[in-house]
Amino acid sequence: EGMPQTLSPTSMFTPCGFSPHLHTSKEDEQGGLIFQDGNLTSASLDALIQHLIPTTDYYPEKAYIFTFLLSSRLFIEPHELLSRVCHKCIEQQRLDDPVLDKARIRKFGPKILQLLTEWMETFPYDFQEERMIGHLKDMIHRIAPCDEAYWKKMNQLLQTLNQKLATLSHGQEGIVKISAAVSDKLVAFKSKPPSIQREILSVCSDPYTLAQQLTHVELERLSHIGPEEFVQAFVHKDPLDGTKTCFSEQKKTSNLEAYVKWFNRLCYLVATEICMPAKKKQRAQVIEFFIDVARECFNIGNFNSLMAIISGMNMSPVSRLKKTWSKVKTAKFFILEHQMDPTGNFYNYRTALRGAAHRSLTAHSNREKIVIPFFSLLIKDIYFLNEGCANRLPNGHVNFEKFLELAKQVGEFITWKQVECPFEQDPNIIHYLHTAPIFTEDGLYLASYESESPENQTEKDRWKSLR
């Protein structure tokens, strides 16, 4: 299958942002950076750090900043990187001199502030660490004597950062609260619960509305995932630093994991809703309802909910209900299933995703901008990209070409996760999606066998052992 396929790049985060260096030679070295056909392919970590540092007449390209800040954490912790950046700035701009060269620093000041701003905007979680804020303040203290405006700028920066982190952690707390509520309550039904259980159709009977509310949940959860989580999920020991992995503390991937849990919950919720009703006709009705919801998700560009719904319907306790399925108009379901068919490394889905990504680039409304990728596959692509190429070349250089590809995939995701949800929120439905009790796998099988009795010996034995 080769490399994971990627979609059309978005200009901000990807190699397209690089100005072509007009070299005809295959390789060209410039301050320790190796270029090939005008693209930076590899360099020592020091050279890459140097390339990040603005001077009075140089500012790194946006795409470079994103790519390096994203991938550098595989080699050096963010606070250490910022410390080295500040240190080099102090040296190069002679910020330790008893008398500062004001004219020079006024040229340099806005550039270092711009770099810090971009860092904070794209990787706010890095600045949850005191040491980061310390380096930032130290830098401003040194340039502020040349221009009072720098103080104001720093306060603005910190204020914006605090608001952003507060919003993110508030959202996370909400999600954590919901998860806790769910695990305390009736999650693990072992047998069919009493009929007081509300079901999805009593909460929302319109597939269009449910698809919109699912899109709300998806975008809300996506908004918490920091781009660095994709890289931190795969942090190994850096071969040039035998002592520790770069993140000796826990891998900071909690939002990513919470999102995967949400996908699993939705699969089980769909299966639960289908297995719950006692009557075949009602079960068929629920299946048809979810097929319509899935189709609306597809039209919206919400591929993650779509995939969760299809996975829920394909779980064996659901798929074995032959009498129920015989009452369902399955043509629509097969079309959707075909879209999500894993054959050819999910060729059909990737084609649909590219279509949605393209629509998003030319969109006139938030409604058309929505692209919610099938998340586990995105992680898998990034995982294979990461496993498939070394982070360092045999000469110890950082394999920058690999990180450009990584930045392309993660950068696209960032563009998508910033879309504001255009649909009105229905707290009632959203609460149900997060807290409605769901069966465990055993519970699903029990409910399924009670609905349509076991067909063969294996099923009979399983039913017996479950009871």
Side-chain angles (χ1 to χ4, degrees):
E1 287 169 349
M3 289 291 281
Q5 298 150 339
T6 53
L7 313 168
S8 60
T10 49
S11 56
M12 172 166 168
F13 292 113
T14 62
C16 302
F18 282 93
S19 58
H21 301 264
L22 306 167
H23 302 303
T24 42
S25 70
K26 281 309 275 174
E27 254 189 25
D28 176 72
E29 183 163 354
Q30 184 184 318
L33 303 170
I34 308 291
F35 289 91
Q36 199 160 1
D37 300 335
N39 286 325
L40 177 55
T41 54
S42 74
S44 67
L45 187 58
D46 282 340
L48 290 170
I49 294 174
Q50 186 58 57
H51 195 54
L52 181 71
I53 293 170
T55 62
T56 49
D57 50 11
Y58 162 76
Y59 188 76
E61 284 150 318
K62 214 178 172 79
Y64 176 76
I65 296 171
F66 176 68
T67 304
F68 184 58
L69 290 180
L70 178 71
S71 54
S72 61
R73 58 200 69 239
L74 290 167
F75 308 100
I76 178 173
E77 291 195 41
H79 72 88
E80 219 174 305
L81 175 61
L82 184 55
S83 161
R84 283 174 66 174
V85 167
C86 292
H87 193 77
K88 287 193 169 184
C89 288
I90 292 166
E91 227 169 70
Q92 288 165 18
Q93 303 302 326
R94 298 200 287 281
L95 297 177
D96 268 344
D97 287 7
V99 179
L100 295 173
D101 176 347
K102 289 197 172 180
R104 180 179 174 162
I105 288 170
R106 283 202 189 103
K107 276 187 181 166
F108 166 73
K111 294 200 170 82
I112 187 69
L113 281 169
Q114 175 62 28
L115 181 70
L116 293 166
T117 306
E118 283 189 46
W119 194 335
M120 286 171 137
E121 280 172 355
T122 319
F123 299 96
Y125 291 122
D126 285 355
F127 290 85
Q128 279 174 316
E129 216 184 313
E130 278 305 304
R131 287 178 285 190
M132 292 290 282
I133 303 291
H135 296 315
L136 168 84
K137 288 182 171 168
D138 177 56
M139 193 68 227
I140 312 283
H141 276 267
R142 289 169 184 277
I143 60 174
C146 299
D147 192 335
E148 283 296 296
Y150 296 156
W151 287 119
K152 213 170 122 188
K153 181 69 181 153
M154 178 177 79
N155 287 326
Q156 275 173 336
L157 272 181
L158 291 173
Q159 226 177 335
T160 313
L161 175 73
N162 286 332
Q163 282 167 344
K164 194 160 188 172
L165 288 173
T167 312
L168 288 168
S169 79
H170 177 71
Q172 283 171 311
E173 278 160 22
I175 286 174
V176 169
K177 268 201 203 102
I178 286 171
S179 309
V182 170
S183 54
D184 298 343
K185 273 211 329 235
L186 311 132
V187 171
F189 286 142
K190 270 290 192 262
S191 61
K192 280 206 175 177
S195 55
I196 50 166
Q197 157 77 358
R198 289 168 75 196
E199 16 87 85
I200 189 77
L201 288 171
S202 69
V203 181
C204 174
S205 56
D206 174 35
Y208 194 70
T209 307
L210 188 61
Q212 293 186 346
Q213 297 310 306
L214 284 168
T215 304
H216 249 296
V217 175
E218 298 278 355
L219 285 170
E220 156 76 11
R221 289 184 166 240
L222 278 185
S223 70
H224 298 133
I225 297 172
E228 70 282 358
E229 294 192 40
F230 289 102
V231 175
Q232 280 157 198
F234 308 122
V235 168
H236 296 308
K237 264 187 152 58
D238 181 11
L240 292 194
D241 175 13
T243 51
K244 57 179 176 58
T245 57
C246 307
F247 284 85
S248 31
E249 332 100 79
Q250 94 293 14
K251 290 184 184 170
K252 303 171 176 149
T253 52
S254 52
N255 300 301
L256 202 124
E257 288 158 29
Y259 190 51
V260 173
K261 277 191 187 133
W262 151 253
F263 178 91
N264 294 336
R265 171 171 169 82
L266 184 53
C267 294
Y268 273 87
L269 180 64
V270 168
T272 299
E273 294 285 348
I274 294 171
C275 291
M276 192 83 77
K279 294 195 169 61
K280 185 165 60 193
K281 192 177 153 191
Q282 287 170 307
R283 290 194 298 273
Q285 193 188 352
V286 177
I287 291 178
E288 290 196 333
F289 172 71
F290 275 120
I291 292 171
D292 289 337
V293 174
R295 195 167 60 165
E296 287 308 333
C297 286
F298 180 82
N299 294 338
I300 288 171
N302 176 358
F303 297 105
N304 202 51
S305 292
L306 165 65
M307 198 56 164
I309 293 170
I310 291 174
S311 307
M313 290 181 164
N314 279 329
M315 287 173 83
S316 0
V318 177
S319 60
R320 67 168 290 282
L321 298 170
K322 301 208 172 46
K323 292 174 186 146
T324 303
W325 280 95
S326 70
K327 298 252 171 263
V328 174
K329 302 184 192 71
T330 46
K332 285 191 290 193
F333 182 60
F334 294 140
I335 293 170
L336 288 172
E337 235 185 353
H338 177 68
Q339 282 299 344
M340 290 310 203
D341 178 12
T343 315
N345 193 10
F346 287 91
Y347 181 79
N348 297 344
Y349 157 70
R350 290 179 192 277
T351 307
L353 183 65
R354 271 199 297 276
H358 186 72
R359 172 181 77 180
S360 178
L361 285 176
T362 54
H364 298 298
S365 67
N366 274 349
R367 172 79 179 69
E368 294 169 329
K369 276 190 194 144
I370 298 173
V371 184
I372 301 170
F374 168 32
F375 196 64
S376 328
L377 189 61
L378 177 69
I379 293 179
K380 199 171 118 185
D381 283 352
I382 290 172
Y383 176 76
F384 281 122
L385 170 63
N386 195 56
E387 291 295 300
C389 326
N391 291 338
R392 289 197 190 258
L393 302 174
N395 64 359
H397 271 193
V398 170
N399 180 0
F400 203 72
E401 218 170 348
K402 166 180 173 171
F403 295 121
L404 283 173
E405 188 52 47
L406 185 72
K408 191 157 115 183
Q409 298 200 9
V410 176
E412 232 183 354
F413 168 78
I414 292 185
T415 314
W416 297 335
K417 85 178 185 109
Q418 286 166 343
V419 176
E420 288 281 310
C421 191
F423 310 119
E424 211 172 313
Q425 207 170 351
D426 184 322
N428 206 2
I429 299 174
I430 288 182
H431 183 74
Y432 184 87
L433 288 171
H434 278 128
T435 59
I438 51 176
F439 282 131
T440 55
E441 196 173 349
D442 286 350
L444 281 173
Y445 273 109
L446 265 174
S448 178
Y449 294 143
E450 280 173 36
S451 300
E452 294 186 20
S453 35
E455 296 268 291
N456 53 40
Q457 203 48 51
T458 321
E459 290 195 344
K460 281 177 188 153
D461 294 344
R462 177 154 200 175
W463 195 22
K464 203 163 145 190
S465 76
L466 283 174
R467 281 186 306 183

